[in-house]
Amino acid sequence: MERRARGVGKGSLEEASSSADGSKTRRTAEARSWSKLSVCAVIVGLLPVVIVGHLAYLAFVAQCPIDPAAKGVSPPPALIGVYSPDNAESLADAKLLFPELWHGAECVTWDRDGVMYTGTLNGEVWKLDPAADEPVLLATTGRKKCNTAAMPTRDCGRPLGIRAMPDKSLLIADGMVGLLKLSLTDGSVTVLVPRDQVIDGKPMLFADDLAIGPDGMVYFSDVSYKYPMEQLYLDILESGTTGRVVRYNPQTGVSTTFADELSFPNGVELSHDRASILVPETSFFRVKRIFLEGARAGQSETLVDTLPGFPDNIQRHPDGGY
């Protein structure tokens, strides 16, 4: 009996091949579908993170008032010579006066009789007569006495720069209240230039220090017309030039901007030759000289650059320095 050989014809091979290709295509499509699902799942899973991040950006970055200014600062000088820590040995015999009372004494001044005056963090102004054993509280510059452990509020005073005047008064640059006059006769406090007063189109927010010019004009620093004292750290972080020196005329009561575009002007002192004022710029680690008279009145130049730290107040020294 003749046996027929069993084989697979061409048509069967094509059908098998087609079936295999179809299975492969379906598996590929399923894999792609799962891949898309996985990507979608990842996106959906990350969506809350993206939303939270965006909200955080809006809350902490987009609404942040700081507009940082780019600046180049030279490396600090080596702590040798006049900057050597060994010079601090001259303070070894210094006596700390009434630390329980004078927390945060920013500035001191003396009258013609050698009586010393200072202001403290809680808004108080004190007098220390060399002939007396204890200091005398003269006044509180704010509406209330405040906690010395916290930043002052609008109800507090913060006497910073202070100068004794020939008419038995004190002129005070108060960071929370403004430019003040304190009578040594009756203890009354008069606000000469209130905080928030608009001077040349900009609010005076942060009176810091003052000096009396040879013509009797009062030159006081306004640290920033953008940030008040409560936000002083924002001004330092921004390192902008929103500070200025204001000239106050005691005869007319008029205030004008004398020099502007300063970075945290943190002190004012009349030069020994009485031709200029010296102003430390805290954020720029330097001291500016601003001319008072002549063709350069109101113009400035850098007197000392790249100090090893943040300069604060400045006062004349009897040896001709500061």
Side-chain angles (χ1 to χ4, degrees):
M1 180 171 127
E2 182 181 357
R3 295 183 178 178
R4 292 187 177 179
R6 294 185 178 181
V8 180
K10 180 178 180 181
S12 298
L13 288 172
E14 290 176 350
E15 291 175 359
S17 176
S18 176
S19 176
D21 290 343
S23 298
K24 183 178 180 181
T25 301
R26 284 194 299 274
R27 287 195 298 271
T28 302
E30 291 174 356
R32 288 175 178 172
S33 297
W34 280 108
S35 178
K36 290 179 180 179
L37 287 173
S38 299
V39 171
C40 289
V42 170
I43 292 175
V44 171
L46 290 176
L47 189 58
V49 178
V50 174
I51 293 174
V52 171
H54 183 66
L55 292 176
Y57 171 81
L58 292 177
F60 299 105
V61 179
Q63 302 300 321
C64 181
I66 297 176
D67 183 17
K71 66 175 182 179
V73 178
S74 302
L79 298 181
I80 58 177
V82 295
Y83 297 134
S84 173
D86 294 338
N87 291 329
E89 292 181 0
S90 61
L91 298 176
D93 297 328
K95 180 181 178 181
L96 189 60
L97 299 177
F98 309 106
E100 70 281 1
L101 294 178
W102 291 356
H103 182 74
E106 169 85 2
C107 181
V108 294
T109 189
W110 290 264
D111 64 17
R112 294 176 176 177
D113 297 324
V115 178
M116 187 177 76
Y117 304 89
T118 191
T120 54
L121 185 61
N122 59 0
E124 297 175 337
V125 180
W126 292 83
K127 166 187 175 181
L128 179 60
D129 191 323
D133 295 328
E134 296 290 332
V136 176
L137 176 62
L138 296 177
T140 299
T141 58
R143 288 190 286 267
K144 66 177 184 179
K145 178 180 176 180
C146 293
N147 186 352
T148 59
M151 174 66 73
T153 65
R154 286 303 301 268
D155 290 332
C156 309
R158 181 56 176 110
L160 298 170
I162 185 170
R163 293 291 187 272
M165 303 298 292
D167 64 352
K168 294 188 180 300
S169 69
L170 300 177
L171 286 184
I172 301 170
D174 190 296
M176 303 302 296
V177 185
L179 181 65
L180 314 177
K181 183 175 182 177
L182 189 160
S183 171
L184 296 176
T185 303
D186 59 16
S188 62
V189 177
T190 303
V191 179
L192 303 177
V193 184
R195 172 172 151 168
D196 295 325
Q197 177 174 313
V198 176
I199 300 173
D200 295 326
K202 299 170 183 176
M204 194 281 291
L205 297 180
F206 189 170
D208 187 274
D209 199 7
L210 70 145
I212 313 302
D215 55 358
M217 294 291 180
V218 180
Y219 296 87
F220 70 94
S221 57
D222 177 17
V223 168
S224 174
Y225 55 75
K226 182 177 180 180
Y227 299 108
M229 184 177 181
E230 309 92 285
Q231 298 177 324
L232 65 90
Y233 297 111
L234 294 181
D235 188 80
I236 293 175
L237 288 172
E238 183 172 295
S239 295
T241 54
T242 58
R244 57 183 169 173
V245 171
V246 175
R247 178 169 58 187
Y248 171 77
N249 187 330
Q251 301 301 319
T252 64
V254 174
S255 298
T256 56
T257 299
F258 182 69
D260 58 4
E261 297 187 359
L262 300 174
S263 184
F264 209 114
N266 204 358
V268 185
E269 179 61 294
L270 184 67
S271 63
H272 284 282
D273 63 7
R274 301 167 64 85
S276 60
I277 53 175
L278 308 185
V279 180
E281 284 187 290
T282 296
S283 296
F284 283 176
F285 315 101
R286 67 188 181 192
V287 178
K288 280 284 191 71
R289 183 207 309 271
I290 304 175
F291 296 93
L292 296 179
E293 302 172 346
R296 300 189 65 185
Q299 298 180 14
S300 65
E301 66 181 15
T302 299
L303 181 65
V304 180
D305 199 7
T306 317
L307 290 166
F310 291 112
D312 200 327
N313 286 351
I314 183 171
Q315 290 191 348
R316 292 193 301 269
H317 192 275
D319 68 359
Y322 300 89

